[in-house]
Amino acid sequence: MAAGIVVLILFLCVPAMAARPKYVFYFICDGLGAAQRQLSEFFLREKQKDHTRSLVMNTFEVAGMNTTYCADSLITDSAAAAIALACGKKTNKGVIAQDANGKNLTTLVEAARDHGMKTGLITTTRLTHATPAAFAAHNISRGNENQIAEDMAASGVDFMVGGGARHFMPQSVEIKQKDARGKRLKSKRTDEKNLVKAMKNKGYATFIGRQGAREFKQTDFSKKDKVFAAFTTSHTPYEIERINRYHEMPSLAAMTQAGIEVLSKGDKGFFLMVEGGRIDHAAHANDPTGVIYDTLALDHAVTAAFEFLKTHKTQTLILVVGDHETGGLGLGMDSMGYRLSMDALMATTVSVGDSLAHGEGRYTGDKKAFMDYLENKFGLADLKIKEIAALEKAMALADRSRTSGYYKINPPALMAARLLSARAHISWATTIHTATMIPMSAAGAEAQKFGGYKDNTKIAATLAALLGFSL
């Protein structure tokens, strides 16, 4: 009788055990609120002339809304938001995986590693930037990126791909090749620690700079066990410019597929965090097309994960979450009627942040050259009198070395972004983060546990409980 009861208990427990995901994809959309997500889907439909198209992340069967405030502010920064998503704890702004007393917190990636799962981190920012850092490093300040790089190099994470080579190379390094954005490949360290070499000695296949990007695209990752790639000195290019200019740079979807091939060989499964980090940067610059293209790039990466889910249906969980909203994006601003025009955004081929504010399109005193660049590259043709006046006022500010917004953006660049947005009837409330709630989506094994209205810390806590982790 007693033996029969034990057998029955074990039988009843089997479904619960089988439901525990073996493969976890954790997509973090930095700066992506509901408006950014909807705008990108509207754009996709118009561009493809198919008004039934949806972002893959918007087709998932489970959805929810998450609050984002941190311990010392109702408006979070990316570090505190990342800790909430990585550790399930509220912390202060600017800290990397530590509590208010400076005690290190356990992250989901560290817990997964310690449970024998393969682990991966992918980002379009520097690997040492706030979000990826919060999963594999511990530091009192997100600004200590050289120290963060040391933590990451020693973390044991199997697959690390993104930008930020400057924090992993020794100070005196002399590299003649350029990075995947055509920039000088140089170090920002103040010592001679060669973290790339250290990882190579640990068995990592390494891919650095432009040459590394070329090799990455030709590599059979089913034959690799550990990978470290830093394609750019700082952040990777915005997707709109990766498509139009930097063809050697792998897409976020390609990075994700490579991660799948490397990590899926593990007997105990994997935990892969993928960040669309430059969505946030574009929103800081009030750049509508920058936001859209980087959101679409993230969705293509989600598609790669979803294809994997189709062949591992009972073992795979995909979560798509945001850390905070950036820019206070509003869809609609026309006082004469209900309008939203995607046509106004179709001709743009460059970003505000990398081209208009800091790159080849930056205003340097030549008004005609700047106006011509806006027409030919940014989609601002046939300027109206009011638009010209606004740009000239912004150029006058730049002539006096003035800046705009919290992040001191080049005034003509920010004005161009807002004029393009106005043509599409899009509005921006700010150049920084907001306290707006963030949508999330989930698909696969135990996805239903993540739906509903909840705080961002609950996502990590629920995931840890599901996987049997203690954070």
Side-chain angles (χ1 to χ4, degrees), residues 111-169:
R113 175 201 63 197
D114 294 345
H115 278 73
M117 298 176 77
K118 295 289 186 180
T119 56
L121 297 172
I122 301 173
T123 181
T124 53
T125 69
R126 296 188 295 272
L127 281 161
T128 50
H129 214 238
T131 301
F135 282 83
H138 305 272
N139 204 284
I140 192 62
S141 173
R142 60 182 289 181
N144 295 331
E145 293 190 59
N146 289 334
Q147 295 174 15
I148 288 168
E150 294 174 33
D151 278 3
M152 299 189 81
S155 68
V157 174
D158 301 286
F159 189 88
M160 289 183 282
V161 176
R166 68 191 194 184
H167 298 291
F168 294 89
M169 303 185 300

Side-chain angles (χ1 to χ4, degrees), residues 54-97:
S54 297
L55 299 180
V56 172
M57 68 177 84
N58 287 350
T59 67
F60 288 177
E61 66 268 26
V62 177
M65 293 292 288
N66 304 120
T67 53
T68 64
Y69 62 91
C70 62
D72 61 350
S73 175
L74 293 179
I75 299 179
T76 189
D77 81 322
S78 289
I83 294 172
L85 295 172
C87 310
K89 303 290 193 301
K90 292 290 187 189
T91 55
N92 296 336
K93 296 194 302 294
V95 180
I96 297 296

Side-chain angles (χ1 to χ4, degrees), residues 270-287:
F270 63 72
F271 185 103
L272 176 60
M273 190 285 289
V274 182
E275 183 200 20
R278 305 223 72 188
I279 301 169
D280 171 67
H281 297 172
H284 276 299
N286 292 176
D287 180 357

Side-chain angles (χ1 to χ4, degrees), residues 270-341:
F270 63 72
F271 185 103
L272 176 60
M273 190 285 289
V274 182
E275 183 200 20
R278 305 223 72 188
I279 301 169
D280 171 67
H281 297 172
H284 276 299
N286 292 176
D287 180 357
T289 47
V291 165
I292 289 167
Y293 278 93
D294 270 83
T295 301
L296 295 180
L298 190 282
D299 198 58
H300 292 156
V302 173
T303 303
F306 195 59
E307 289 301 312
F308 181 87
L309 180 148
K310 289 178 181 177
T311 57
H312 303 80
K313 292 182 179 179
T314 62
Q315 296 178 299
T316 304
L317 172 64
I318 303 175
L319 297 175
V320 182
V321 304
D323 60 348
H324 54 73
E325 195 273 346
T326 304
L329 177 61
L331 304 184
M333 61 173 291
D334 191 283
S335 61
M336 301 301 291
Y338 297 96
R339 302 179 189 176
L340 194 60
S341 174

Side-chain angles (χ1 to χ4, degrees), residues 352-367:
V352 175
D354 284 352
S355 287
L356 291 186
H358 301 290
E360 65 175 20
R362 180 182 174 86
Y363 169 70
T364 57
D366 188 333
K367 294 181 180 180

Side-chain angles (χ1 to χ4, degrees), residues 284-286 352 356-357 404-405 409-419 431:
H284 276 299
N286 292 176
V352 175
L356 291 186
S404 298
I409 302 170
N410 177 265
L414 184 59
M415 180 54 66
R418 289 177 172 172
L419 290 176
T431 58

